[in-house]
């Protein structure tokens, strides 16, 4: 049942976290960040600011409300969000998502109306789509990791696997990488990655965008080729276009060892995934050093909220 009196809980929580996060964001010159993530069980939202727009994702759950009542609850919640975040209602975009959506599900197009904008991060520009997909095109939680890649990219060959919209590739280009190869199964996202390159004044023709099933592509990689590899796979994927079913817990040793074989001695692999119960099978990985950098790569707006692992693996 929708209890309007509970809206005060949402307002109080948003006022508190927004005040704190907005200060930090301004100090760090960050204009796109997460404000709220399922903080109160009665309001299962993820709320993100993209400059002057707000992106709200409602997590799927058994709420016991009839459709009309749910609409009333959602509209009332959005009024509170608009008020606290000082945003016009027409600049709020809402999506409903399954809590355990696989990345392949997230990629399905949701609507025919489209709202695209250019968002900015660390002096770089990215196309963001607030209306058509379950994800916007920019994973905000990897802001720090992207910066690490940029800082190490000068004069390096970089491979970006499961590249999505190529934000790591843009950072690598900005850092002065001499060669960047971006690989994904989706032509839509590869084209988006090329657009992101253009937005930042880079000629996409100077870089490689490869349409391939990453699991098969790994077998075509030459040995000792890349200085930096970014590997951010989905937890599970059984896309019709993939030859094999991917399970990151089961498959990560095989994938990492193939990736490390394609990495130069002393080269770095940044490996992350979102599987809550993930355990890295360190002993089976052909690396000279493995560092868990999860804590260092969680941004201020994802503290205590983010379930993902991140490792810096040296060949």
């Amino acid at each position: 049942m929708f209890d309007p009196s509970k809206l005060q809980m949402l307002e109080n929580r948003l006022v508190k976290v927004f005040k704190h996060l907005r200060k930090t964001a301004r100090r760090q010159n960050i204009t796109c960040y997460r404000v709220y993530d399922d903080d109160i069980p009665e309001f299962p939202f993820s709320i993100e600011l993209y400059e002057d727009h707000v992106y709200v994702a409602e997590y799927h759950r058994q709420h016991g409300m009839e459709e009309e009542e749910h609409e009333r609850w959602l509209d009332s919640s959005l009024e509170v969000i608009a008020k606290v975040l000082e945003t016009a209602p027409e600049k709020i975009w809402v999506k409903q998502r399954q809590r355990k959506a696989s990345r392949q599900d997230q990629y399905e197009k949701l609507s025919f109306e489209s709202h695209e904008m250019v968002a900015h991060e660390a002096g770089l520009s990215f196309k963001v789509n607030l209306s058509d997909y379950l994800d916007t095109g920019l994973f905000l939680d990897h802001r720090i990791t992207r910066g690490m890649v940029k800082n190490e990219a000068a004069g390096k060959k970089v491979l970006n696997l499961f590249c999505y919209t190529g934000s790591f590739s843009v950072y690598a280009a900005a850092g002065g990488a001499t060669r960047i190869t971006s690989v994904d199964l989706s032509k839509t996202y590869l084209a988006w990655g090329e657009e992101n390159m253009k937005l930042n004044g880079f000629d996409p023709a100077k870089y490689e965008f490869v349409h391939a099933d990453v699991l098969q592509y790994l077998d075509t990689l030459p040995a000792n080729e890349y200085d930096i590899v970014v590997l951010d796979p989905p937890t599970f994927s059984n896309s019709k276009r993939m030859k094999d079913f991917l399970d990151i817990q089961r498959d990560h040793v095989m994938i990492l060892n193939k990736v490390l074989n394609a990495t130069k001695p002393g080269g770095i692999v940044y490996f992350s995934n979102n599987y809550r119960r993930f355990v890295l099978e360190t002993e089976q990985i052909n690396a000279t050093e493995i560092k868990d950098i999860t804590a260092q790569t969680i941004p201020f707006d994802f503290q205590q909220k983010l379930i993902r692992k991140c490792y810096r693996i040296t060949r």
Side-chain angles (χ1 to χ4, degrees):
M1 286 287 290
F2 168 39
D3 179 355
S5 67
K6 289 192 174 174
L7 288 165
Q8 193 60 50
M9 289 163 52
L10 176 64
E11 183 168 342
N12 294 346
R13 179 66 186 165
L14 278 178
V15 166
K16 184 182 171 186
V17 295
F18 185 48
K19 185 181 175 186
H20 163 67
L21 292 171
R22 179 155 63 171
K23 267 187 198 160
T24 309
R26 281 179 177 161
R27 201 166 57 243
Q28 296 184 21
N29 198 24
I30 288 167
T31 56
C32 303
Y33 56 97
R34 184 164 290 188
V35 177
Y36 173 100
D37 192 8
D38 208 5
D39 298 15
I40 303 168
E42 289 87 347
F43 298 96
F45 298 119
S46 160
I47 303 171
E48 294 176 342
L49 264 179
Y50 287 86
E51 294 171 13
D52 60 340
H53 288 74
V54 175
Y55 177 78
V56 179
E58 181 195 348
Y59 293 116
H60 178 74
R61 51 117 206 228
Q62 296 298 322
H63 48 64
M65 289 182 263
E66 295 294 329
E67 197 172 325
E68 221 171 275
E69 189 181 14
H70 177 263
E71 285 300 314
R72 232 176 35 249
W73 167 83
L74 184 57
D75 287 345
S76 304
S77 300
L78 293 173
E79 280 173 29
V80 170
I81 292 166
K83 175 184 160 187
V84 176
L85 302 189
E86 299 163 15
T87 305
E90 63 271 16
K91 289 191 172 183
I92 296 181
W93 300 84
V94 186
K95 285 285 161 280
Q96 289 168 307
R97 67 191 302 158
Q98 301 293 329
R99 183 170 293 282
K100 291 187 178 172
S102 75
R103 187 173 285 187
Q104 219 51 50
D105 293 335
Q106 291 170 23
Y107 283 1
E108 298 305 319
K109 208 159 193 278
L110 291 181
S111 69
F112 295 102
E113 59 156 344
S114 186
H115 183 78
E116 292 177 354
M117 63 176 285
V118 176
H120 302 88
E121 183 181 273
L124 298 168
S125 302
F126 298 93
K127 183 181 98 169
V128 163
N129 187 315
L130 298 177
S131 55
D132 297 353
Y133 303 89
L134 271 175
D135 282 303
T136 63
L138 186 64
F139 289 125
L140 301 180
D141 63 290
H142 270 306
R143 194 184 300 128
I144 293 171
T145 328
R146 287 192 276 270
M148 288 177 171
V149 169
K150 181 186 172 190
N151 291 342
E152 295 179 353
K156 302 286 176 62
K157 292 181 179 177
V158 178
L159 174 63
N160 185 5
L161 298 168
F162 301 100
C163 70
Y164 187 38
T165 60
S167 54
F168 272 101
S169 301
V170 170
Y171 267 77
T178 52
R179 180 182 168 197
I180 303 167
T181 306
S182 307
V183 187
D184 203 275
L185 191 57
S186 164
K187 287 182 180 176
T188 301
Y189 289 93
L190 288 168
W192 194 329
E194 292 190 33
E195 280 185 72
N196 280 335
M197 282 290 190
K198 282 183 201 161
L199 275 176
N200 291 282
F202 302 117
D203 179 0
K206 291 182 178 172
Y207 305 101
E208 296 166 90
F209 289 87
V210 180
H211 176 238
D213 173 347
V214 171
L215 296 187
Q216 292 177 322
Y217 182 76
L218 292 176
D219 293 325
T220 71
L221 288 171
N224 309 318
E225 183 75 11
Y226 291 95
D227 301 286
I228 300 171
V229 183
V230 177
L231 177 64
D232 184 20
T235 300
F236 299 100
S237 185
N238 58 350
S239 164
K240 296 180 191 75
R241 290 167 294 172
M242 281 179 76
K243 187 181 173 191
D244 304 307
F245 169 70
L246 170 67
D247 173 337
I248 199 57
Q249 182 63 64
R250 182 193 68 198
D251 300 332
H252 75 277
V253 170
M254 173 268 289
I255 292 170
L256 279 169
N257 284 335
K258 286 181 180 180
V259 166
L260 284 160
N261 184 56
T263 307
K264 293 177 184 175
I268 303 298
V269 176
Y270 284 99
F271 168 54
S272 67
N273 73 80
N274 293 332
Y275 182 43
R276 286 168 183 260
R277 296 190 296 278
F278 182 76
V279 178
L280 190 72
E281 293 177 28
T282 311
E283 300 304 313
Q284 297 183 54
I285 294 163
N286 305 326
T288 57
E289 186 181 31
I290 297 176
K291 279 188 187 168
D292 185 334
I293 58 168
T294 304
Q296 297 101 285
T297 58
I298 295 182
F300 71 95
D301 46 329
F302 285 86
Q303 298 292 330
Q304 285 90 49
K305 296 178 182 177
L306 188 60
I307 311 294
R308 72 143 165 77
K309 304 279 190 181
C310 193
Y311 303 90
R312 187 179 193 273
I313 303 172
T314 308
R315 160 87 191 267

